[in-house]
Amino acid sequence: MRIGELAARAGTTTRTLRYYESRGLLPARRTGNGHRTYDERDLRLLRQIRTLRDFGFELEETRPFVECLRAGHPQGDSCPASLAVYRRKLDELDALIGELQQVRARVGDQLARAEQARESLAVEAMVPGGPEPVCELGGQQ
């Protein structure tokens, strides 16, 4: 198949395919008249890359999976190098989850503090001579 057909079937652009070719992820086979030509194996490579990219993998992280497919493995993730990339990605995700949990805890603490401060102001506002309640949008209630 030609580059336009492959792009359409893979759900990408010809520009992306040319970029993958320049990065060595997609083979650069040419016909006698210079047209790029592709087959079903190339479509499988692109689908593997697309799936990994959808999972948040960087383009270069897809290389071991592509090489695994090229080596004849039915799944691009059964080779040792692919498994190592999966492990690194899981470690990276675990670290990000840990960071997000810390941020969430801090935001939760800030919310609790802010709610407590608001309740204190509401109680003070009910005391004669206490502060007038102020609307958070800038006006008085």
Side-chain angles (χ1 to χ4, degrees), residues 111-124:
L111 174 60
R113 183 206 49 78
E115 288 175 336
Q116 186 176 16
R118 180 171 172 79
E119 287 173 18
S120 294
L121 287 174
V123 168
E124 289 175 19

Side-chain angles (χ1 to χ4, degrees), residues 88-107:
R88 279 194 309 270
K89 183 56 77 174
L90 283 176
D91 289 343
E92 179 184 312
L93 291 170
D94 287 340
L96 288 171
I97 289 168
E99 289 174 24
L100 287 172
Q101 287 173 332
Q102 290 175 2
V103 169
R104 188 193 188 290
R106 290 197 315 259
V107 170

Side-chain angles (χ1 to χ4, degrees), residues 58-80:
E58 297 294 327
L59 184 60
E60 194 55 37
E61 290 175 311
T62 69
R63 188 173 300 281
F65 298 87
V66 168
E67 290 171 357
C68 190
L69 283 171
R70 282 185 183 155
H73 296 268
Q75 300 296 322
D77 59 2
S78 59
C79 296

